[in-house]
Amino acid sequence: IELASGSTNTLTDGGDSTSGDGCITAKDDLTIKGEGSLVINGNAKNGIDCNNDVKISGGNITITATDNGIKAKQSLTVSGGTTVITAGEDAIKCTDKSDETVGEFIMDGGELTLNAGDDGIVATVSITVTGGTISYNVADKEYSCDGTVTIE
């Protein structure tokens, strides 16, 4: 998804959880880049639900979801942009129940604001933050990982 400079794009699901797991559902990799704005309203479940890798390198993204803000089974990489997530459950979830060898969160730039009814970031394998800023307003843990956590 490339966000054109000066544009505001809004996606809202119908609130019916039988139609998919996310307002944006990707069977493969998903990249969000550009200088515009994207508003995602996941009324039924997740804001973004991806079977593989999600990469955010730009844009002003606002995600509101009843379940998880972003669910990426393989990984989520944030290298730029400003993303605000408000989720009923976890803001960011990088897990795959059928494969415990995947599930990474990587951040080396950009800004994240995480508001969650549960955890801020959940990953199975690793959480690596080497740049950017993260603000948390969560009911439980800021981050949770079964593997390695590196925050510089």
Side-chain angles (χ1 to χ4, degrees):
I1 299 172
E2 184 157 359
L3 305 171
S5 180
S7 69
T8 299
N9 308 276
T10 302
L11 299 170
T12 302
D13 66 29
D16 179 6
S17 63
T18 61
S19 62
D21 289 331
C23 181
I24 296 175
T25 299
K27 301 281 184 197
D28 205 347
D29 297 342
L30 173 67
T31 299
I32 301 173
K33 60 184 178 179
E35 297 178 14
S37 296
L38 177 61
V39 177
I40 299 169
N41 297 302
N43 296 321
K45 201 166 179 184
N46 302 320
I48 295 173
D49 189 272
C50 181
N51 285 347
N52 287 333
D53 303 307
V54 175
K55 296 178 183 175
I56 299 173
S57 61
N60 292 306
I61 303 161
T62 303
I63 300 171
T64 303
T66 57
D67 200 353
N68 303 303
I70 298 175
K71 172 114 193 280
K73 288 186 177 180
Q74 300 282 320
S75 70
L76 169 61
T77 301
V78 179
S79 60
T82 300
T83 303
V84 177
I85 300 173
T86 302
E89 294 296 325
D90 300 321
I92 295 169
K93 191 167 194 170
C94 303
T95 64
D96 184 345
K97 291 180 184 177
S98 64
D99 186 353
E100 293 189 13
T101 66
V102 299
E104 298 177 89
F105 173 80
I106 302 154
M107 183 172 181
D108 60 8
E111 297 176 35
L112 288 176
T113 301
L114 307 179
N115 306 294
D118 199 1
D119 296 329
I121 301 167
V122 176
T124 304
V125 175
S126 65
I127 295 174
T128 305
V129 179
T130 58
T133 59
I134 305 173
S135 300
Y136 298 93
N137 179 15
V138 297
D140 200 4
K141 297 178 228 114
E142 290 181 350
Y143 54 87
S144 173
C145 182
D146 295 337
T148 309
V149 176
T150 304
I151 299 177
E152 298 177 2

